[in-house]
Amino acid sequence: MSNLRFEAIIESQKRVPLLIEEKGRRSELFAANVFNEEKMLQYLTKDALGSVKGAIVSGSKIERKIADQVAEAMKGWAIGKGATHYTHWFQPLTGSTAEKHDAFFDLLPDGKALEKFGGGQLVQQEPDASSFPHGGIRNTFEARGYTAWDPTSPAFIYGTTLCIPTIFVAYTGEALDNKAPLLRALHAVDNAATAVAKYFDKNVSKVNATLGWEQEYFLIDKSLAMSRPDIVMTGRTLIGQTAAKGQQLDDHYFGVIPSRVLSFMRHLEVECTQLGIPVKTRHNEVAPNQFELAPIFEEANLAVDHNLLLMDVMDKVAKKHNMKVLFHEKPFAGINGSGKHNNWSLATDTGVNLLSPGSTPMKNLQFLTFFVNTIKAVDSYEELLRSSIASASNDHRLGANEAPPAIFSIFIGKQLSSVLDELEGVSKGKLSPEEKTELKLNVVGKIPEIMLDNTDRNRTSPFAFTGNKFEMRGVGSKTNCAKPMTVLNTIVAKQLRDFKIEVDSLIDNKNLKKDEAIFNVLREYIKTSKRIRFDGDGYSQEWEKEAKKRKLSNNKSTPDAIQVLTSKESLELFDSMNVMSGVEVKARQEIELDSYIMHLQIEGRVLNEMVYGYVIPAAIEYQNILIANVGGLKEIYGAGYKKMCESQLAIIEGVTEHIAALKAKTDAMVNERKKANVIADSNKKAYAYCDKVRPYFEGIRYHCDKLERLVSDKLWPLTKYRELLFVK
């Protein structure tokens, strides 16, 4: 087995960059494979186009005869571009996407063949609902589920298949996917934000939540990846001695992109451009062989779809370049993990970013209204927001190597902190003319229109204001953005709805003017949400103590983090905003628990296999070589051999001790896993894996890594960190 490692290294060193030819400018290639408005103008009648646009803008229903027209147009366009099949492309609760392909093909009664695709196939399909995670919503014998067309996300051609973005629901109507709750949350925030935005501009009729994600990832040679069973099975290295050189020299971040990687990136960008994914930025990240890709901001639902599609495209393109993409949040110990920063804002249909400071006091009051309400929403539901980024893989990343901690806090910078501190002193009730002047001219009026450079970069902040948006940094690189975006938009919608009720009450019942009412309510929010604001180092023990005093949650494990999902407050929130029913929320908690259990179960099995199939045999083989060496010296030198063999004997002793400890810990881990596996209750089983099984992983790793240092490099069977991270 040890030969596989060296064969993989030799194979990787033979690689040369693939030549990527770009035909045409990016602007000309953009969305070439997307059935967007430009294509609809060419293929649809005026009535059909108006109906689809109405569904996109206001959610109006598309009539069946219009759906037939759209389907016929899609089919003609897709076949003209070489498509042979169509699929409903959806997001089951696995965290990735799913699809079932059907051909544009049917037979007439007389046996003649034709291409067929009608409104019925466009609008709805029926996949097997029981075969996807459902959290107990569906029984195996109740397999029916439906995918339904989402016209707000345009269809696209991927390979030779027309992909139609859809939601996925059970026969009884519950959402079995991540898209349906997201669409409901976006509808809720649209309604609530539009109502508040009308305080400042009566012409606003719609508010869109926008999202710009930053996808971090590791890229390693395919042969090296395939030589590691832990990477193949779990997406991360379960064992491995840290390389002598890691990221400590800061020489990789923003460095020259390696030629093979650059070829991969160019190829990826061409594919993305044709699929309408507006990729813009690429660069080396902090850790060796770690990189980042980021797009231009889009409407949140479309941005989520594009991120999921991107991850699939990355996998396929990487294979063509003999590479492997690692999306795991912490594939390597001792260096930075990978996140997916979610940059979120709200934009009106009049072209205004509601989280961007303006040039006048009134525009700044609008900015402060949405800014403070967002802070208040996060403060009220920080534990729920933490639950939206919880996973077995992200548990390894949070709080380590520049990643934000599990404690949610908000960083806004000194300048905005001083503005909020001044607003906190606003008088209760009516304002004097002097106070109005002070507020509008000297406080609110002096917020600079462009603040992109006035808010410092605080890497340890889970939720930071970065000039004209909030950046949610705790999201893991594997996570479907729909999960945190559903929670964030729901809590902001709830907060804005409550804000409007309070402001209207002061206007109607206390006879306050609009500005006075807004200032009064914002003042109270600033006071009551002060605990969530923190500008310091999120890693420090002092902050943990301070956060505890402030009664902020610190749920470091997934089982702890997702308990809040089924709290009375959470269930009431989702139900009141029509985002998820209690059944849907409880099902998601059950699925999250099951996913956590299965990930740790798989890791435990792989670790057991690696210990007994790779590490211990290699250690014993080296031990035997040393024993033979000592025996030979004894034969030659007799009683004097001990002095000559002190080093060999010390190594033999060290190897022996680590083998014994490794076997004992591995066997104990397997035993705890067996105990956990017979627990029926998902919550108790998850805690058993978290508290009883997982703690053995680090101990097992410790002894494996010590043996890697002791055993001859020639005999070590597993590709090492220095090879995985520094072979370009």
Side-chain angles (χ1 to χ4, degrees):
M1 233 4 242
S2 60
N3 288 334
L4 180 60
R5 171 188 161 207
F6 296 104
E7 288 169 5
I9 295 169
I10 292 168
E11 190 68 27
S12 68
Q13 290 173 338
K14 293 178 183 177
R15 314 282 198 208
V16 293
L18 291 185
L19 181 62
I20 304 301
E21 293 184 20
E22 296 191 40
K23 298 178 181 178
R25 296 180 179 181
R26 297 285 173 93
S27 58
E28 295 168 347
L29 289 174
F30 186 71
N33 293 333
V34 181
F35 194 71
N36 55 13
E37 187 174 341
E38 181 185 340
K39 311 299 190 309
M40 287 191 280
L41 278 168
Q42 299 174 35
Y43 284 87
L44 294 182
T45 65
K46 187 176 180 181
D47 288 345
L49 179 59
S51 183
V52 174
K53 289 177 74 173
I56 293 170
V57 174
S58 61
S60 59
K61 190 173 182 180
I62 296 175
E63 295 179 6
R64 178 56 184 269
K65 66 177 183 178
I66 297 294
D68 284 334
Q69 287 185 41
V70 176
E72 188 63 33
M74 272 190 192
K75 182 190 74 174
W77 170 76
I79 290 175
K81 291 188 70 66
T84 59
H85 290 69
Y86 66 91
T87 184
H88 275 201
W89 186 78
F90 59 104
Q91 304 173 26
L93 297 171
T94 56
S96 56
T97 60
E99 53 198 64
K100 179 187 75 170
H101 297 193
D102 284 303
F104 291 120
F105 177 80
D106 206 352
L107 288 176
L108 295 172
D110 61 3
K112 290 182 180 179
L114 79 164
E115 278 82 25
K116 184 179 178 182
F117 179 62
Q121 288 93 349
L122 168 64
V123 172
Q124 182 176 302
Q125 278 194 332
E126 188 181 322
D128 183 350
S130 68
S131 297
F132 291 102
H134 50 74
I137 289 177
R138 311 297 294 137
N139 292 310
T140 302
F141 59 85
E142 297 173 317
R144 184 171 291 176
Y146 297 109
T147 49
W149 177 34
D150 170 21
T152 64
S153 184
F156 56 91
I157 295 172
Y158 191 25
T160 58
T161 304
L162 173 67
C163 299
I164 302 156
T166 61
I167 63 169
F168 181 38
V169 297
Y171 177 69
T172 46
E174 293 92 356
L176 295 173
D177 69 343
N178 287 302
K179 180 185 271 276
L182 174 64
L183 289 174
R184 296 172 192 162
L186 294 174
H187 179 68
V189 83
D190 173 17
N191 287 341
T194 298
V196 173
K198 284 183 180 292
Y199 282 142
F200 308 97
D201 183 356
K202 296 292 185 185
N203 295 316
V204 174
S205 59
K206 185 174 178 60
V207 172
N208 282 320
T210 62
L211 169 63
W213 38 261
E214 302 167 29
Q215 181 68 61
E216 295 176 340
Y217 61 97
F218 281 84
L219 199 62
I220 60 176
D221 186 86
K222 182 181 175 182
S223 295
L224 299 179
M226 294 304 293
S227 72
R228 293 279 310 214
D230 46 0
I231 291 178
V232 172
M233 300 300 291
T234 73
R236 77 178 181 107
T237 54
L238 298 176
I239 62 176
Q241 176 64 36
T242 304
K245 179 180 183 290
Q247 62 190 46
Q248 62 267 48
L249 296 179
D250 296 322
D251 56 348
H252 190 256
Y253 190 54
F254 278 24
V256 176
I257 300 172
S259 55
R260 277 185 69 198
V261 177
L262 186 58
S263 178
F264 159 80
M265 288 178 169
R266 290 181 62 201
H267 192 171
L268 174 65
E269 287 172 0
V270 170
E271 295 290 327
C272 287
T273 301
Q274 293 180 97
L275 288 166
I277 306 172
V279 293
K280 185 173 177 67
T281 304
R282 65 191 186 197
H283 62 82
N284 289 5
E285 255 301 332
V286 174
N289 273 357
Q290 186 187 32
F291 308 93
E292 181 181 295
L293 178 149
I296 297 168
F297 281 54
E298 298 180 284
E299 185 276 322
N301 177 46
L302 183 57
V304 168
D305 282 0
H306 278 165
N307 181 251
L308 290 168
L309 179 57
L310 168 93
M311 293 170 76
D312 189 61
V313 175
M314 287 176 77
D315 273 330
K316 287 182 169 62
V317 171
K319 286 176 184 175
K320 293 178 181 178
H321 290 254
N322 289 304
M323 292 177 173
K324 172 74 174 173
V325 178
L326 301 184
F327 290 116
H328 194 287
E329 284 80 356
K330 196 72 172 177
F332 301 101
I335 57 176
N336 279 20
S338 296
K340 179 150 47 192
H341 299 179
N342 277 209
N343 295 278
W344 172 89
S345 192
L346 295 169
T348 69
D349 58 346
T350 57
V352 175
N353 179 351
L354 294 171
L355 286 174
S356 181
S359 55
T360 65
M362 181 53 72
K363 287 181 180 177
N364 278 338
L365 181 56
Q366 175 179 264
F367 158 71
L368 284 169
T369 294
F370 287 92
F371 179 69
V372 173
N373 271 281
T374 302
I375 293 173
K376 175 65 174 170
V378 174
D379 177 64
S380 299
Y381 294 100
E382 49 87 15
E383 192 170 12
L384 186 61
L385 207 54
R386 161 68 180 98
S387 75
S388 72
I389 61 171
S391 69
S393 51
N394 209 22
D395 282 356
H396 294 284
R397 168 179 167 262
L398 294 178
N401 300 98
E402 297 189 4
I407 305 167
F408 251 79
S409 63
I410 296 179
F411 171 84
I412 63 172
K414 291 181 180 178
Q415 188 166 2
L416 283 173
S417 288
S418 65
V419 170
L420 296 194
D421 289 343
E422 290 195 58
L423 286 174
E424 193 178 337
V426 174
S427 299
K428 191 170 184 179
K430 291 192 175 184
L431 303 175
S432 67
E434 292 78 13
E435 284 178 311
K436 284 185 180 180
T437 301
E438 170 67 20
L439 279 171
K440 289 189 175 180
L441 296 181
N442 298 326
V443 181
V444 178
K446 286 190 175 179
I447 300 174
E449 186 172 359
I450 298 174
M451 294 199 62
L452 294 176
D453 297 322
N454 294 321
T455 50
D456 191 17
R457 298 286 291 175
N458 185 329
R459 285 181 175 272
T460 64
S461 174
F463 202 87
F465 184 70
T466 54
N468 60 359
K469 62 190 182 298
F470 279 100
E471 184 176 0
M472 190 170 170
R473 294 180 178 145
V475 183
S477 53
K478 278 204 308 185
T479 301
N480 183 337
C481 297
K483 290 168 61 180
M485 284 297 102
T486 296
V487 173
L488 179 57
N489 284 289
T490 301
I491 64 176
V492 171
K494 170 71 162 56
Q495 180 54 50
L496 289 171
R497 190 180 72 174
D498 292 349
F499 170 77
K500 188 170 190 306
I501 291 170
E502 290 186 58
V503 170
D504 288 349
S505 176
L506 289 177
I507 293 171
D508 297 337
N509 302 326
K510 301 291 185 180
N511 205 26
L512 295 184
K513 293 197 179 293
K514 180 184 68 178
D515 290 5
E516 290 176 325
I518 289 172
F519 278 128
N520 272 264
V521 176
L522 291 182
R523 180 199 61 180
E524 292 305 310
Y525 289 172
I526 292 166
K527 287 181 179 178
T528 56
S529 64
K530 205 165 186 177
R531 65 167 191 157
I532 201 73
R533 287 160 44 198
F534 175 66
D535 290 352
D537 181 5
Y539 299 140
S540 68
Q541 291 183 346
E542 288 75 17
W543 167 233
E544 283 209 24
K545 293 175 185 175
E546 176 62 23
K548 191 173 182 180
K549 287 181 186 175
R550 297 187 189 189
K551 297 184 178 178
L552 293 171
S553 66
N554 186 11
N555 296 320
K556 294 183 178 181
S557 74
T558 291
D560 284 339
I562 62 177
Q563 295 304 310
V564 71
L565 279 174
T566 49
S567 69
K568 182 181 177 183
E569 186 182 34
S570 296
L571 293 173
E572 285 178 353
L573 166 74
F574 288 121
D575 185 59
S576 68
M577 302 310 296
N578 296 314
V579 172
M580 284 187 283
S581 67
V583 171
E584 289 171 322
V585 176
K586 289 172 184 175
R588 277 156 177 74
Q589 185 185 62
E590 187 74 15
I591 290 166
E592 294 286 351
L593 289 168
D594 285 343
S595 175
Y596 179 82
I597 291 163
M598 286 185 283
H599 274 92
L600 291 189
Q601 187 181 70
I602 291 167
E603 288 191 351
R605 288 173 173 172
V606 173
L607 201 49
N608 182 49
E609 177 189 334
M610 293 179 75
V611 166
Y612 279 105
Y614 294 80
V615 177
I616 289 179
I620 290 174
E621 185 177 358
Y622 184 56
Q623 188 183 48
N624 287 337
I625 290 172
L626 292 174
I627 290 170
N629 174 262
V630 171
L633 289 172
K634 185 178 180 181
E635 272 189 35
I636 295 171
Y637 295 104
Y641 84 98
K642 284 188 178 182
K643 189 173 182 180
M644 298 178 180
C645 298
E646 284 180 359
S647 298
Q648 294 95 316
L649 290 170
I651 295 172
I652 291 170
E653 187 176 335
V655 169
T656 303
E657 288 174 356
H658 286 302
I659 289 174
L662 186 55
K663 182 182 184 305
K665 288 183 183 295
T666 303
D667 290 348
M669 181 267 290
V670 171
N671 189 48
E672 289 296 340
R673 206 175 71 232
K674 288 177 179 177
K675 290 179 186 177
N677 288 342
V678 299
I679 299 173
D681 181 87
S682 294
N683 198 44
K684 291 178 180 177
K685 190 172 184 176
Y687 272 110
Y689 264 96
C690 180
D691 299 335
K692 301 294 185 182
V693 178
R694 189 182 64 165
Y696 280 106
F697 289 5
E698 280 306 308
I700 292 169
R701 179 176 195 134
Y702 170 81
H703 293 291
C704 286
D705 293 354
K706 286 295 184 182
L707 285 170
E708 182 181 332
R709 292 181 66 183
L710 290 172
V711 173
S712 167
D713 183 68
K714 186 171 67 173
L715 296 177
W716 193 254
L718 297 164
T719 305
K720 296 187 175 185
Y721 267 35
R722 68 167 185 263
E723 294 143 5
L724 291 167
L725 292 171
F726 292 97
V727 172
K728 305 297 183 186

